[in-house]
Amino acid sequence: MLRTSIFGLALWSLVMAEPVDDFESRVTEFKLANGLPVLVYTDSSAPVVTVAVAYKVGSNYEPAGKTGLSHMLEHMTFQHSDIYKPGEFFRIIHANGGVNNGFTSGPYTAYFEVFSREKWELGMKIEASRMGRCVFLDSDFSSEHQVVAEEQRLSENSPSSVFWTQLNAAALLAHPARNPTVGWADDVAHFTTDAVRDWYRHYYSPSNALLVVAGDIRPDEVRAKAEQYFGKYKAQPVSLPDFYNAEPKQVGERRLVVHRVVTQPSLAIAYHAPGILDSAFCAAVVAGGVLGQGRGSRLYQRLVVDSGLATSASAYSETGRDPGLFWVSVTPKAESLIPRIERVVYAEIGRLGREPITDRELQRVKNQVIADYIYSRDAIMWMAIILGSYQLTQGSWREFKLYPEKIGRVTAAEVQSFCRGFLTADNRTVGTLLPIAQEEK
Amino acid sequence: MRRGHFRFQISDCRLRNYGNRMTRVIIAACIMCGLASGVPLYRDTLPNGLAIVSYVDHRLPMTDIAFVCRSGSASDPEGKWGLANGTVTLMTRGTKTMTADSVASIVEFLGAQFNGYAGNDNSMISLRVLAKDLVTGLDLLTDAVRNPSFEAKEVERARAQGLAGVREMSDDPMARVMVDFYQTLFPGHPYAHQTIGDTVSLMKITREDLVAFHKDHYVPNNCFIVAVGDFDRPELLKMIQARFGDMTRGDVPEVKAPDMPFPGKLRVKLIYRPDMNQTYVMFGHPGIAYSDSDRLATNLAAYILGGGALASRIGDAVREEAGLAYEVRTVFDQDRLRGAFWAWVQTAKPKEAIAIMFREIEKMQKDGAKKNELDDAQNYFAGSYPIRFSSNQGKLYEAVNIEIYQLGLDWADKYPGKIRALTLDEVNRAARERLHPGQYVMVVMGNVKKEDLGLSDVEWIE
C-alpha cells in the first residue's frame, strides 16, 4: 500500500536543506622539496587513516618483450626492504590491525595501507621503505616469479578473461593499453631480477610518485611525517613517453572469434573513443548511459525487454587519459541470435546519431553521475585512491568534483555528434566468445 | 562528537509516541552503541515484530536501507533451487500498480540503486538513494515488499537471465569447482545447491511458487530493516510504521537440515580438462555454524592456518616459500547452519601444493598455534575491526549481521575484547576439535589424471 505518491516529495524535500558540499575544504595539497606531491583528505567520521602511494609507471610504459614487468615489480616490492624480509610484510600490517593492497594499471602502480588512527604512521614508514629501500635478490625473485606465472595462468583459464584480453588487443593496434597488465605469458616467463631492479630504480622516486593520505588526520601531521619519512630521497626526473596519439585511425571493421569451453556465448563491440581530457569525452559518457546503463537504457529495452534476444546489455566509455574504447556488451540468449542482436545494436546506435536523445534520458544520466559523486565519497578508505586517480589521469584532484558539472553541461546535440563521429562501422571491433566441443570425464 | 574508539552507552528505554495519527511504536530495545563515531546504533520494533536497526550519519546526503528477510536459498523447496533468489529479484521488478519498467525508470532517474538478492540464509532488498529522495525510495521499497506482481513476462525474463547466469557460472572453472564441492560435500542438505539454482530447477519454478514463497517468508516477524545515513530517526520510524505497521505475522516454514556426516576418508571428484594449464583444487569437511560457541576461536585458528592468505602458515609454505600458487587459503564458512571448512588452491603443481596443505592442516590440528601467532591474529581481528565502520555500506553490513545473529547492539564495543580474551588453549582446542585431517571431500579440475595427484587411500567419485 503506497501512502505517498511516488513523486510526492514536496514535504520531505522542503524540510531537508540542501547540504553544503564541503569536499574541497577537506583537501590540502603540498609538495616536498624533493618533488613528492602530497594530497591530504580529512574526514574524521571514523578513526581510520589510509596511506596511499602511486608511481607513474604501469603496463603502458613496458617495451615489447617486457609486458607485465611493472606488475612483477609490484609483487617484488612486498618481498624485501630495509624493514621487512620475505614473508614479513603482511604480518607487520596484520599484527598492527591494518589492511593493505597494491595494484598495477596501464598508467600507474599504487599501494595503500589502512590503519586505525594511532597506527597510521606505520603506513608512512612502510611506503617510504617501499619507495627507496627495496632489495632485489635472486633468491627472493625465483619463488615470486613462479607466483606471478600462476597469476598469469589464472587469467588464461578464465574464458571471459581470455575473451576480454584478446578483444582489447584486437581493438588496439599500437597503444600499449592493448597489453594485459599481468603481461603476455612468454614475457612473464623471461623476467629477471636485474630487469625488475632496473625498472624500480628508474621509476620509483619521489618526483615520479604521489602520496595521498585520507581519513582522521590533519594536514600538518601528514606534512611532518612526510618530511620525516620521504624527505630523505632525492628527486630523480623521469621522462615519461606520451602515447596520447599512438593509436592509428581504424580504417575498417575488425572481427574476432574466441573459442573456449563455454556454454554461454558473449558478444562485445569496442569502438575507439575519446580520452577523458577530450571535449567529446562527456558526450561519450552520456551516450554510454543512454545506450546501455540500466533497464531503462535503449539497448536493454530493445534486446532484453522488447525482443528477448538477450539477457543483458550494457555500454560505457573507458575513463583513461589517453583515447580508449567505448564498449557495448551483450549476453545473447543463444549463439544463433548474435547476427540479429548486432543489427539491433547498430540500428540503435544509428538512431542515436540521427535523432536527439530526450530531455529525460539526458537528465537521467546527469542525475546518475551526480548521485555517484556522492556515493563514491562514502568509503573514506577509497577517497585516497579516487583522488590519486584524478590527480594522475586528469592532472588535478579537483576534477573529481568538476566531473558532474561537466557532464551537466552536455547537450543532446553533442551526444549525436559523438555517435556520428565515433560509433561507426569502420571504427569498431566485434568480438564473440563461442563454445568449442568439450571433452570431459 | 566522540571518536577514537568504540563507545558503549545505554540510553533511557521508554515508549515513544509519534503523534496522534501514528500507532505507538514500541521500542523493544534501544541500547545503543557508538559505531566508531559515538553516534548510536538503535533498534526499534513495531508491534508486528518488524525490527528497525538504524544509524544516523549526516556526513553525506545519502541513505542506505536494507530490507532483510531471514529466509534464503536454504528455504528453497526440494528441486526448486533458486526460488528464494528469484522471489527477491522479481520483487524489485514490478508491483500491482507499477510495471518493472516504471520502477526502473524512477530508480534510474533518481540515480538510486535498488536490487534484490538472496544468500544461503537470508534475502535482501537494498536501496541506496540521495537523502532528498528518501521518501520516494522508501515508497518503492515498500511497494516491492508488500505488493510484488510477479508478472508472467517478468518471470520468464528472470528465468532466462537466471539460466544465463548458471551457464556463465559453470563456464568459469573457479565457480564450477565451488559448485561441485558443495554438492559433493553436502548431498541432500539445504546448502548443497547454488543460490541462483541450476538449469533444471529454474525450469520448474512457477509463478505460484514465487507468490507462495513471498507470502510465507515476507512476514514482519521474519524480516527486519536496517537504515544507515542521512535521515531524521523519528521521522524515518514514523514512515516505516505507516508503511509496514499493518503487515501481519505468519508462521514461517522451518528449514530442515539433515546432519552432515564427515566423509570418513578422502573422497575425490576429478574433472579432467586437458585445455587448462593450471589445476583448481577445493577440499574440506563439515565446519561450524555461526552460533557455535567456539566460532571466534575457530576463526583465529583458521586465520593462522590459511585465512590470512599472505600472512598464514599455508600462504607461507605454498606461496612464499614454494611459489606454487597465486591464490591459496583456508576458511570456515559462517552461516546459520553448519557450513564447510574448505581449502582452495590454483596451481600448475597440484601434487606438491596438496601435500603441503594436508601437512599444515594436520600440524595445526595436532600441535596448534604458537603464542606469537595468536598475538598477531588477535591484533589483526581486533585492530582492523574499526575499518569496517569507515563507510555507510560497511556499517550497514555490520548492522545486518548484528541483527541476523542477534549479537546485541553493543557487539561492536564487545568484539575486540572478546577476540583479545581468547587464550592459546581455547584456540588450540578449537583447532583440535574442528579440523579433521584426511576426512576431506575434494574437487579437482584441470589437465591432470588420478595418478598425478599423489593421493593414497582415495574413494574416487565418478
Side-chain angles (χ1 to χ4, degrees):
Chain A
M1 174 175 43
L2 276 171
R3 294 242 171 120
T4 315
S5 98
I6 285 300
F7 291 104
L9 315 174
L11 189 65
W12 186 245
S13 301
L14 283 176
V15 297
M16 304 260 308
E18 187 63 30
V20 178
D21 185 353
D22 58 355
F23 165 70
E24 280 168 315
S25 67
R26 292 177 179 276
V27 183
T28 307
E29 188 176 13
F30 57 89
K31 195 177 253 193
L32 301 191
N34 60 14
L36 177 68
V38 184
L39 295 179
V40 184
Y41 178 80
T42 302
D43 183 334
S44 303
S45 58
V48 168
V49 179
T50 301
V51 174
V53 174
Y55 297 91
K56 285 183 260 180
V57 61
S59 54
N60 284 359
Y61 299 110
E62 295 156 356
K66 290 191 172 177
T67 63
L69 192 56
S70 307
H71 172 255
M72 182 71 228
L73 170 58
E74 179 217 313
H75 273 249
M76 286 303 292
T77 65
F78 288 98
Q79 288 291 308
H80 202 154
S81 82
D82 61 334
I83 59 168
Y84 49 85
K85 294 201 168 44
E88 289 179 358
F89 188 95
F90 293 89
R91 286 215 156 69
I92 293 170
I93 303 282
H94 285 202
N96 287 282
V99 299
N100 73 289
N101 216 328
F103 61 89
T104 308
S105 68
Y108 59 90
T109 307
Y111 306 89
F112 65 90
E113 284 77 42
V114 189
F115 285 110
S116 64
R117 194 190 135 68
E118 56 270 28
K119 300 274 190 183
W120 84 278
E121 189 178 337
L122 183 56
M124 299 288 271
K125 190 176 169 187
I126 285 170
E127 286 312 322
S129 174
R130 191 193 318 260
M131 180 177 286
R133 297 286 183 264
C134 282
V135 177
F136 300 90
L137 302 178
D138 286 338
S139 51
D140 304 333
F141 177 77
S142 60
S143 70
E144 199 58 25
H145 189 198
Q146 291 177 58
V147 169
V148 169
E150 291 286 359
E151 187 180 359
Q152 198 278 331
R153 280 193 276 272
L154 253 181
S155 61
E156 289 183 345
N157 288 306
S158 157
S160 61
S161 168
V162 170
F163 177 55
W164 290 105
T165 301
Q166 302 231 346
L167 184 56
N168 184 65
L172 298 170
L173 287 182
H175 194 283
R178 71 191 308 274
N179 299 320
T181 306
V182 68
W184 298 109
D186 193 54
D187 294 353
V188 172
H190 289 93
F191 291 153
T192 62
T193 315
D194 288 345
V196 174
R197 189 189 297 111
D198 290 347
W199 203 247
Y200 173 74
R201 286 184 179 158
H202 191 72
Y203 287 108
Y204 280 42
S205 69
S207 46
N208 195 45
L210 170 68
L211 167 65
V212 192
V213 182
D216 187 11
I217 197 77
R218 293 190 317 271
D220 61 304
E221 295 174 283
V222 176
R223 187 186 287 271
K225 294 301 170 189
E227 295 282 3
Q228 179 185 338
Y229 288 104
F230 294 90
K232 60 191 168 201
Y233 300 128
K234 288 198 171 62
Q236 178 187 308
V238 180
S239 87
L240 298 169
D242 192 337
F243 302 102
Y244 195 85
N245 295 312
E247 188 64 22
K249 185 175 167 56
Q250 188 168 343
V251 289
E253 183 188 78
R254 291 199 275 269
R255 300 189 77 88
L256 174 80
V257 180
V258 173
H259 281 122
R260 304 301 293 160
V261 182
V262 292
T263 52
Q264 174 61 54
S266 292
L267 166 70
I269 305 164
Y271 296 86
H272 291 283
I276 204 163
L277 302 171
D278 192 288
S279 59
F281 174 78
C282 289
V285 170
V286 174
V290 171
L291 264 184
Q293 296 287 314
R295 182 174 173 127
S297 67
R298 292 183 177 191
L299 290 181
Y300 196 99
Q301 281 292 312
R302 295 296 90 73
L303 293 170
V304 182
V305 177
D306 296 346
S307 64
L309 293 169
T311 56
S312 79
S314 64
Y316 79 99
S317 203
E318 289 178 352
T319 55
R321 173 188 171 274
D322 294 354
L325 297 168
F326 180 100
W327 290 92
V328 173
S329 68
V330 182
T331 308
K333 219 181 247 177
E335 183 185 334
S336 60
L337 300 174
I338 290 175
R340 282 175 65 191
I341 291 171
E342 271 194 69
R343 285 198 292 277
V344 173
V345 171
Y346 304 144
E348 282 304 323
I349 285 174
R351 189 159 75 92
L352 210 53
R354 284 192 310 276
E355 304 163 12
I357 56 172
T358 66
D359 290 347
R360 187 171 167 90
E361 284 179 311
L362 184 57
Q363 196 56 48
R364 177 177 69 106
V365 177
K366 291 177 178 178
N367 290 351
Q368 285 171 344
V369 170
I370 292 168
D372 286 344
Y373 163 72
I374 306 281
Y375 302 154
S376 63
R377 290 173 61 191
D378 177 34
I380 301 163
M381 65 180 279
W382 289 116
M383 281 309 289
I385 303 299
I386 291 172
L387 294 183
S389 157
Y390 274 89
Q391 184 81 13
L392 291 172
T393 54
Q394 296 200 56
S396 171
W397 56 270
R398 290 176 200 277
E399 295 291 333
F400 173 60
K401 189 185 173 188
L402 296 176
Y403 180 60
E405 295 170 20
K406 285 182 179 172
I407 295 288
R409 289 195 290 271
V410 172
T411 65
E414 286 170 336
V415 176
Q416 265 180 289
S417 157
F418 162 76
C419 292
R420 282 202 298 265
F422 288 89
L423 305 187
T424 63
D426 279 352
N427 196 32
R428 72 185 175 221
T429 303
V430 183
T432 47
L433 171 64
L434 303 177
I436 46 172
Q438 177 181 359
E439 267 183 57
E440 193 178 289
K441 63 180 178 184
Chain B
M1 293 273 278
R2 200 190 291 272
R3 65 167 193 268
H5 54 96
F6 296 111
R7 296 287 308 162
F8 174 64
Q9 307 155 339
I10 297 179
S11 80
D12 56 330
C13 294
R14 56 196 157 91
L15 295 178
R16 295 177 188 197
N17 191 325
Y18 291 114
N20 298 334
R21 291 184 298 116
M22 309 304 300
T23 313
R24 179 170 287 192
V25 178
I26 296 169
I27 311 299
C30 76
I31 301 169
M32 46 192 197
C33 69
L35 287 186
S37 61
V39 181
L41 181 69
Y42 283 94
R43 184 178 190 277
D44 302 277
T45 316
L46 301 187
N48 63 9
L50 184 75
I52 301 120
V53 179
S54 57
Y55 178 94
V56 178
D57 184 342
H58 297 299
R59 184 171 58 101
L60 292 166
M62 58 183 276
T63 300
D64 284 285
I65 298 185
F67 187 96
V68 182
C69 170
R70 295 171 184 275
S71 302
S73 63
S75 298
D76 289 343
E78 178 70 29
K80 306 245 176 175
W81 318 133
L83 180 60
N85 190 57
T87 303
V88 74
T89 302
L90 281 156
M91 284 166 71
T92 64
R93 297 192 187 170
T95 69
K96 286 166 186 159
T97 52
M98 276 193 294
T99 64
D101 283 335
S102 311
V103 173
S105 170
I106 295 166
V107 168
E108 290 168 7
F109 193 75
L110 298 178
Q113 296 166 2
F114 187 53
N115 298 296
Y117 41 87
N120 277 346
D121 301 322
N122 305 283
S123 303
M124 176 154 107
I125 297 181
S126 69
L127 169 75
R128 168 168 272 200
V129 71
L130 293 180
K132 70 181 175 59
D133 303 321
L134 179 60
V135 175
T136 311
L138 200 55
D139 284 343
L140 288 168
L141 177 64
T142 307
D143 214 20
V145 170
R146 305 210 55 189
N147 308 306
S149 55
F150 300 107
E151 207 239 319
K153 269 190 194 163
E154 292 304 329
V155 173
E156 291 316 310
R157 192 159 10 257
R159 192 192 313 278
Q161 290 171 325
L163 290 169
V166 169
R167 284 194 294 265
E168 274 169 357
M169 206 159 162
S170 73
D171 291 345
D172 175 39
M174 187 188 290
R176 168 76 197 277
V177 168
M178 286 187 173
V179 169
D180 279 21
F181 171 74
Y182 282 97
Q183 275 173 356
T184 314
L185 180 65
F186 294 159
H189 189 277
Y191 290 169
H193 64 276
Q194 288 306 297
T195 302
I196 61 169
D198 60 46
T199 50
V200 176
S201 71
L202 287 177
M203 295 309 293
K204 290 187 190 157
I205 293 173
T206 64
R207 181 179 181 277
E208 288 67 39
D209 293 328
L210 295 158
V211 170
F213 193 93
H214 172 257
K215 180 170 164 282
D216 290 347
H217 294 273
Y218 286 79
V219 290
N221 46 306
N222 193 44
C223 296
F224 62 90
I225 291 173
V226 176
V228 176
D230 186 17
F231 52 84
D232 178 85
R233 184 172 147 268
E235 272 295 327
L236 182 75
L237 290 177
K238 214 155 72 175
M239 292 193 289
I240 290 173
Q241 163 73 12
R243 287 161 178 76
F244 295 97
D246 62 343
M247 277 177 96
T248 49
R249 287 171 181 266
D251 293 327
V252 181
E254 263 181 56
V255 174
K256 292 192 191 79
D259 195 36
M260 252 182 287
F262 280 82
K265 63 188 298 192
L266 181 59
R267 303 181 66 232
V268 184
K269 178 175 179 176
L270 177 61
I271 304 163
Y272 179 54
R273 282 281 299 270
D275 60 306
M276 290 172 59
N277 61 8
Q278 203 177 30
T279 301
Y280 291 27
V281 182
M282 188 171 184
F283 68 88
H285 55 61
I288 57 169
Y290 196 95
S291 58
D292 194 299
S293 56
D294 278 339
R295 184 175 68 89
L296 297 182
T298 306
N299 285 348
L300 284 169
Y303 167 87
I304 294 164
L305 173 63
L310 295 166
S312 68
R313 290 181 176 187
I314 282 181
D316 276 355
V318 174
R319 179 172 159 151
E320 294 296 318
E321 285 160 26
L324 290 173
Y326 174 68
E327 287 199 359
V328 56
R329 60 176 62 241
T330 57
V331 173
F332 276 88
D333 284 343
Q334 313 277 304
D335 286 313
R336 195 174 297 149
L337 304 171
R338 180 196 273 195
F341 160 74
W342 54 264
W344 172 268
V345 69
Q346 288 154 303
T347 176
K349 294 179 178 168
K351 183 179 165 183
E352 289 84 346
I354 291 170
I356 294 172
M357 293 166 85
F358 277 14
R359 183 192 76 204
E360 290 299 330
I361 295 170
E362 200 172 330
K363 213 164 85 186
M364 175 62 89
Q365 193 268 342
K366 203 162 140 252
D367 305 331
K370 295 191 169 58
K371 180 73 174 73
N372 63 324
E373 291 176 311
L374 179 61
D375 288 345
D376 284 358
Q378 287 171 317
N379 285 338
Y380 174 60
F381 275 53
S384 66
Y385 191 63
I387 295 170
R388 294 189 202 181
F389 300 100
S390 61
S391 69
N392 286 1
Q393 196 96 65
K395 287 171 192 147
L396 184 93
Y397 288 148
E398 198 59 16
V400 166
N401 216 36
I402 285 168
E403 179 61 21
I404 283 176
Y405 295 109
Q406 296 291 300
L407 302 175
L409 294 181
D410 56 348
W411 176 254
D413 300 310
K414 283 185 177 168
Y415 176 82
K418 280 177 181 286
I419 287 293
R420 292 196 190 281
L422 286 163
T423 65
L424 191 61
D425 281 350
E426 287 169 313
V427 170
N428 288 346
R429 184 179 48 75
R432 207 160 48 240
E433 292 174 3
R434 304 300 177 188
L435 292 170
H436 298 266
Q439 295 210 48
Y440 305 125
V441 160
M442 178 185 284
V443 178
V444 180
M445 186 188 230
N447 185 12
V448 283
K449 305 234 164 83
K450 289 177 182 175
E451 56 272 24
D452 300 332
L453 296 172
L455 300 170
S456 54
D457 196 19
V458 181
E459 179 192 334
W460 295 96
I461 304 167
E462 297 304 331

